[in-house]
Amino acid sequence: MSALWTSVEIEAATGGTASVPFAVTGVAFDSREVGHGDLFIALKGETTDGHRFVDGAFEQGAAGAIVSQPVAHPHVQVADTTAALDALGVAARERTAAKIAGVTGSVGKTGTKEALSAALARGKRGAVHRSVKSYNNHTGVPLSLSRMAAGSAFGVFEMGMNHAGEIAALTRLVRPHVAVITAIAPAHIEFFDSIEGIADAKGEIFQGLEPGGTAVIPFDSPHRDRLIGHAKPYAANILTFGSGEGADVRALDAIPSANGTMVTARLPEAELAFTLSQPGAHWVSNALAVLAAVDALGGDLAAAGLALADFGGLEGRGAHHRIRIGDGEALVIDESYNANPTSMAATLEVLGNTAAARRIAVLGAMRELGQDSDALHAGLAGSVIAANVDYALLVGSGMEPLAKALEGKIDSAHWPDASSAGESLQKLIRPGDAILIKGSNAIGLGRIVTTLTGGQN
């Protein structure tokens, strides 16, 4: 592999001093993720110091390190390794001619980021860089930037937040040509006075737009005009997406099928018919956002349609698993990574539209909902009932209000933790069942998926 960074380039980017010349092919700040040829950045956190893991990183194949104190390995020494990570991300952004997309939103941002990357890569194979996993915070974004090869054709970066001002800082690092907001929902509302405050914080993404850049905004959102207001000072172009009359990128038809959803979309200068592999109205919305971004970035729309047809579910965010139960099978819908009221309702609708002998919902408590937490949990009852759920397993202390709201309406049980819920579920499952597993990541429902799928999660 060709070098991603040389020690000379790292010195220039960070203002540090190299111990010896070296070159690296990747970047990591988690020593457990270091691969052969990587640069290891020894970050200092509140509870640990990455310098403790420098030796281990080199044992795993690191070719160099960024450190703030001398070590017995090839390194660049800087005053502050966190500042050096930012500086390396800035340098990576400055040296590339790639077209850059930034993606945020209360729901759907990781899936949309992955789908957009796949859509662009279908037309430019091997030339699309993206942030991996959910590396979307103050360390994940500069890390993702620092990993981008100078010759990339496109870059797609996810940005997240739970406080105002965070996305403003991230978008100025990313400097997107296209900035996408997927949706606004009461995620992290514990840290905001209102959902309008969340919309304002998400709208910060437009502040980093490059001159001539495009803002992509959900047309059907009640916060559409507020988001447009945030975009206008920074965006040369604004594209809206949705199903409503007047959306710039609009779903003319969205017909559920056995293989997903058959969609006909109208764009400002094109019309595209494609099959979307992922089920649910929320994924139709995500796909429209992807098409708007591909169009604004100058990508291949026809190739994007093919990519959306092939796009598979993500671990913890919609992956479907067929598991053996006796002489038959059951379907596990893995939505275990995150949850808020909007995403809960959307995935329960998917469960309701899934053909099954019985529908089982394993729902974990939603975190960071603040003073409205009880009401928002109880408010899920209508979605659970509408999905024709036969049995609901509710997990975590925050689920008491929903348990009370469902009393006498459907069969349900409330469990304190994922372990006890998982044991109950294994006794309950029969062939032909469809099981939705969804909750905030901290509840640990991913362990149930791992157990059911034999570690394939």
Side-chain angles (χ1 to χ4, degrees):
M1 293 178 63
S2 59
L4 178 65
W5 295 100
T6 66
S7 54
V8 172
E9 292 168 333
I10 297 169
E11 283 181 310
T14 65
T17 302
S19 61
V20 294
F22 62 87
V24 299
T25 54
V27 184
F29 56 56
D30 185 335
S31 61
R32 296 166 296 183
E33 296 182 357
V34 170
H36 183 76
D38 279 356
L39 174 71
F40 174 62
I41 304 178
L43 299 181
K44 290 185 177 181
E46 294 181 2
T47 59
T48 189
D49 183 345
H51 293 82
R52 294 171 47 205
F53 307 104
V54 170
D55 289 344
F58 278 90
E59 288 173 3
Q60 290 185 210
I66 293 179
V67 295
S68 58
Q69 59 197 49
V71 296
H73 304 282
H75 65 270
V76 172
Q77 186 172 343
V78 299
D80 183 328
T81 53
T82 299
L85 172 60
D86 280 351
L88 200 63
V90 169
R93 179 65 185 87
E94 287 179 347
R95 72 181 183 175
T96 185
K99 292 292 185 181
I100 304 296
V103 181
T104 192
S106 302
V107 293
K109 57 184 176 289
T110 299
T112 299
K113 176 258 298 181
E114 292 289 331
L116 176 55
S117 302
L120 292 168
R122 192 65 172 247
K124 282 278 187 181
R125 292 187 185 277
V128 178
H129 176 79
R130 76 189 195 285
S131 50
V132 299
K133 300 182 180 178
S134 288
Y135 283 174
N136 61 20
N137 64 5
H138 65 287
T139 54
V141 168
L143 175 68
S144 297
L145 282 166
S146 72
R147 290 172 165 176
M148 180 169 55
S152 300
F154 296 103
V156 184
F157 297 90
E158 178 181 340
M159 288 172 257
M161 64 89 200
N162 54 24
H163 289 85
E166 292 177 340
I167 287 180
L170 298 176
T171 191
R172 290 189 173 100
L173 289 175
V174 173
R175 291 166 39 210
H177 297 94
V178 175
V180 180
I181 294 180
T182 58
I184 303 298
H188 310 300
I189 199 165
E190 176 182 355
F191 306 114
F192 293 89
D193 294 333
S194 65
I195 195 167
E196 287 78 15
I198 293 174
D200 293 340
K202 295 296 184 183
E204 293 171 11
I205 193 173
F206 305 127
Q207 296 176 20
L209 275 171
E210 288 286 88
T214 299
V216 178
I217 289 171
F219 181 85
D220 302 320
S221 171
H223 309 286
R224 175 191 66 211
D225 293 341
R226 195 178 194 93
L227 296 175
I228 289 173
H230 284 294
K232 280 184 174 179
Y234 307 99
N237 307 290
I238 296 176
L239 282 176
T240 59
F241 65 92
S243 58
E245 186 74 38
D248 298 310
V249 179
R250 184 184 175 210
L252 301 179
D253 291 301
I255 303 170
S257 69
N259 298 317
T261 306
M262 295 182 291
V263 182
T264 302
R266 177 176 293 162
L267 292 88
E269 297 182 5
E271 191 168 299
L272 183 69
F274 62 98
T275 298
L276 174 61
S277 62
Q278 296 302 298
H282 61 301
W283 260 107
V284 173
S285 180
N286 292 346
L288 295 173
V290 166
L291 294 179
V294 168
D295 198 32
L297 290 165
D300 187 328
L301 283 172
L306 294 173
L308 290 169
D310 292 338
F311 186 69
L314 305 175
E315 178 183 322
R317 295 181 173 91
H320 283 47
H321 301 278
R322 291 282 177 183
I323 61 171
R324 175 65 61 179
I325 300 294
D327 294 331
E329 288 184 332
L331 171 67
V332 175
I333 304 172
D334 176 14
E335 288 275 0
S336 60
Y337 186 80
N338 212 343
N340 59 56
T342 300
S343 64
M344 278 283 202
T347 50
L348 281 164
E349 182 179 358
V350 170
L351 178 64
N353 291 329
T354 300
R358 296 187 308 168
R359 297 179 182 88
I360 299 172
V362 183
L363 306 178
M366 303 176 288
R367 296 294 178 87
E368 298 181 351
L369 296 182
Q371 62 184 8
D372 294 325
S373 179
D374 286 355
L376 291 170
H377 280 89
L380 295 175
S383 296
V384 173
I385 293 167
N388 293 314
V389 170
D390 295 283
Y391 200 90
L393 279 77
L394 311 177
V395 187
S397 59
M399 274 297 183
E400 288 98 337
L402 179 57
K404 291 178 181 177
L406 292 175
E407 282 180 5
K409 296 173 182 174
I410 68 167
D411 287 337
S412 63
H414 182 211
W415 296 95
D417 53 51
S419 296
S420 52
E423 293 173 4
S424 175
L425 177 63
Q426 287 187 293
K427 297 174 184 177
L428 182 66
I429 300 175
R430 301 174 188 166
D433 286 346
I435 305 110
L436 169 66
I437 300 178
K438 185 168 182 65
S440 288
N441 193 40
I443 305 301
L445 299 188
R447 295 194 297 272
I448 297 178
V449 178
T450 299
T451 300
L452 292 177
T453 60
Q456 298 176 17
N457 184 33

